[in-house]
Amino acid sequence: MAPTIKQIAKLANVSIATVSRALSGDEKVTSETKRLVLNAARELNYRPNILARNFVKGKSNIVGLILPDISDEFFSEIIRGVDETSYDHGYYTMVISSHKNRSLVESVHTLMSNGLVGGFIILIPFMDQKIEAALMHERVPFVIISGDNNAGEFDTVTTNNYQSAFMMVEFLVGKGYKKIAHISGPADNNDALLRKKGFLDACSKNKIEIRNNWLLDGDFTMEGGELAINKILNEDDKPEVIFAANDMMALGCYNAIQSRGLKIPDDIAITGFDDILISKYANPSLTTVKVNTDRIGKLAAERLIEKMDGTNNKTAQKIEIESELVIRNSC
Amino acid sequence: MAPTIKQIAKLANVSIATVSRALSGDEKVTSETKRLVLNAARELNYRPNILARNFVKGKSNIVGLILPDISDEFFSEIIRGVDETSYDHGYYTMVISSHKNRSLVESVHTLMSNGLVGGFIILIPFMDQKIEAALMHERVPFVIISGDNNAGEFDTVTTNNYQSAFMMVEFLVGKGYKKIAHISGPADNNDALLRKKGFLDACSKNKIEIRNNWLLDGDFTMEGGELAINKILNEDDKPEVIFAANDMMALGCYNAIQSRGLKIPDDIAITGFDDILISKYANPSLTTVKVNTDRIGKLAAERLIEKMDGTNNKTAQKIEIESELVIRNSC
DNA sequence: ATCACCGATGTAAACGTTTACACGATAACT
DNA sequence: AGTTATCGTGTAAACGTTTACATCGGTGAT
């Protein structure tokens, strides 16, 4: 049904090889012949069969994008970033979500040398042995998006969690804060761990006392933030500012604080991490760290396509996405 | 490099045809032969080449998902819903985002009979002539996700904007409210239009007076909501409740109201639409309408796969996703 | 014992495209 | 003029899989 190069060949009175060459811009074909072929192609409304092309070339211009089984406000931005870059390079984007019926490892196996994708990008919340093993045997190029860049000798795009947390603490110190508490995220989340580490190191460097009971455990949820802060809000000696490892927990702190009639930032200041949609609109607006999510997708895709094109096969690169402090009114 | 059925054939001492049949579960092949083939396949760690399979079968088990060029909190849920269903049926999901370099129409053309996808789902914020024309000529099956189901004779999955808005008004009336204002969304957004229509019709039916200056224009942003409500907050004769066409605008109203020292819902009540993440945590928590976003993706994918399988080619279906009133403390 | 049939397997063509190689014609050398 | 490059085009093979058709052995009916 769909027109093929054979039909173009017949219409233009040339061989299919010439058609193929004319369409792919081979310099050897006469401009006259090229004109003929292109006209015929336009007339027939020809679209090359991508499947056939990839198949015969033995490689695919499809970029796989493997997502973990959690939902996240930022995923659509990453997807968009990847697809935009893919498109600009003439590639397609295939999303493989993990979910109850398909684990992250299984997702990798799905793509393993079935020829569908020519490479893939994988979002890994926490690198474990299973995933690493699966990736070790992978034959197509891939890039990892992760909070952590210590993940073996793989190409990785990371957010600079550590540096950003560090930066946040130094900013607070610069504003004169000395008594700083931290609410961390889940223990099995690399982003959370690195943010905590950044906090701790920055405190050490700036001679800020780290009190154990001001090192609170959270879980990245609003309730978790509320729960955590309530543990120290009753004490006489309160911290001046609380640095929550993500905005959701920071907003949980807002609730706890405001329901006690305390004022942010006068009685106690709050900062977060992520710059989710609402943070700008919270009252007071939340000081936080903004990660350039679409750049993550873009750069991961660019690096992957370099590898797929064979343009740049140098050893694994670690790309860190710069993030920025968003200073608002909560401190 | 990657193992093929030829290698399996050699290892199992059968022909490639038998291998193909054994792998695809043809009943004609002996269980003994099947055992041999499967063993060989496992030994070689064989994965069928999807590209070759789709190519030779002349159809694709890839579902295209065309997204508009706006970012949305709900997209990742829709993507997940689609991919989950695709996976369960042995299909793959390919995302085609529209953006500055590729319009929605161009996205459709991209997929047009290039063999890559066997069908697609397209999210359309507002159906216009161009898109409709592009879709008319499309050869592969597709399903539209839209706020509006009047979009010609196409298969469509819609949220029931109209009914939900209607339901919201009747709920408010049931609570005794008589003076109701509405802030609508952008004029070129179908969801917004239908919500307004639902509001108007429900008011008429319930003999609620519709005042023109209580029919406010918004733009789905927080600032828009704030701006709109400020127009009527100074008047002596204020509405008892404001029904915003989405949560963002409702939260804008929160700001305006609370900065005047008024209390929600005692002085004025607010309701929204969408049930975005924050609405649950707003203070007071926001009464709104929750759309089952993942069901939208799921049902669209199910319908599409029916068509792709040829299981069900009956005339275009209009599927409406039921949504639910989420009653909280803002009214 | 012959025939017809059936069930299991093999043979080979087909899908649309790319590309190595062959070929003929023309141009550029000796 | 004869040889050799060069250039444009054609021929045909290849990619991995599916599937229509052929083949062959065996079974049951006559």
Side-chain angles (χ1 to χ4, degrees), chain A residues 87-317:
Chain A
Y87 173 79
D88 289 346
H89 289 81
Y91 284 72
Y92 293 94
T93 307
M94 172 155 289
V95 169
I96 292 93
S97 310
S98 306
H99 43 69
K100 59 182 186 309
N101 299 329
R102 172 166 60 179
S103 71
L104 208 58
V105 174
E106 204 180 333
S107 298
V108 174
H109 282 130
T110 300
L111 294 188
M112 252 203 152
S113 50
N114 67 356
L116 232 197
V117 306
F120 62 90
I121 296 167
I122 179 168
L123 262 84
I124 304 184
F126 197 84
M127 179 66 103
D128 65 16
Q129 286 301 318
K130 270 182 165 174
I131 298 175
E132 194 162 348
L135 291 175
M136 293 291 288
H137 296 109
E138 188 53 52
R139 282 199 269 263
V140 299
F142 60 89
V143 171
I144 296 171
I145 293 178
S146 157
D148 185 8
N149 63 10
N150 304 326
E153 279 316 297
F154 300 131
D155 276 272
T156 318
V157 175
T158 63
T159 57
N160 57 356
N161 286 299
Y162 177 85
Q163 291 86 334
S164 300
F166 201 101
M167 178 170 66
M168 174 64 88
V169 172
E170 298 216 304
F171 165 73
L172 293 174
V173 171
K175 290 204 79 170
Y177 289 110
K178 296 222 172 333
K179 296 158 72 177
I180 311 176
H182 179 69
I183 308 179
S184 52
D188 64 348
N189 183 296
N190 253 321
D191 297 88
L193 255 39
L194 286 161
R195 291 170 193 181
K196 185 175 184 178
K197 192 155 184 303
F199 166 81
L200 291 172
D201 289 1
C203 285
S204 297
K205 185 194 159 203
N206 290 280
K207 310 254 176 341
I208 299 291
E209 181 194 3
I210 300 168
R211 305 195 197 173
N212 272 333
N213 59 330
W214 286 2
L215 239 39
L216 300 156
D217 291 331
D219 57 359
F220 274 174
T221 71
M222 207 159 196
E223 292 85 353
E226 215 165 329
L227 226 63
I229 197 181
N230 273 329
K231 286 192 189 145
I232 51 170
L233 232 40
N234 288 328
E235 299 178 8
D236 287 338
D237 190 15
K238 285 193 257 299
E240 299 156 346
V241 54
I242 294 176
F243 172 23
N246 79 343
D247 286 3
M248 265 307 190
M249 297 194 298
L251 295 174
C253 295
Y254 272 48
N255 286 353
I257 291 168
Q258 288 169 342
S259 70
R260 281 166 197 253
L262 297 175
K263 278 254 178 300
I264 305 169
D266 301 337
D267 296 319
I268 189 163
I270 302 284
T271 68
F273 202 115
D274 277 351
D275 193 27
I276 58 178
L277 229 73
I278 347 141
S279 302
K280 180 162 56 163
Y281 302 115
N283 193 0
S285 56
L286 180 67
T287 292
T288 184
V289 175
K290 179 186 173 59
V291 178
N292 284 307
T293 320
D294 59 337
R295 272 185 57 77
I296 296 179
K298 268 199 194 343
L299 288 180
E302 273 170 18
R303 175 63 187 131
L304 178 64
I305 289 172
E306 268 183 18
K307 294 175 81 178
M308 286 169 73
D309 279 349
T311 317
N312 186 341
N313 273 319
K314 66 183 167 212
T315 47
Q317 275 187 283

Side-chain angles (χ1 to χ4, degrees), chain B residues 59-63 91 118-119 141 304-310:
Chain B
K59 61 181 188 179
S60 163
N61 68 340
I62 302 175
V63 169
Y91 284 73
L304 177 63
I305 289 172
E306 267 182 17
K307 291 174 84 178
M308 287 170 74
D309 280 348

Side-chain angles (χ1 to χ4, degrees), chain A residues 14-15 17-18 21 28-30 33 55-56:
Chain A
V14 292
S15 74
T18 304
R21 281 189 281 253
K28 292 204 167 181
V29 11
T30 330
T33 320
F55 167 56
V56 69

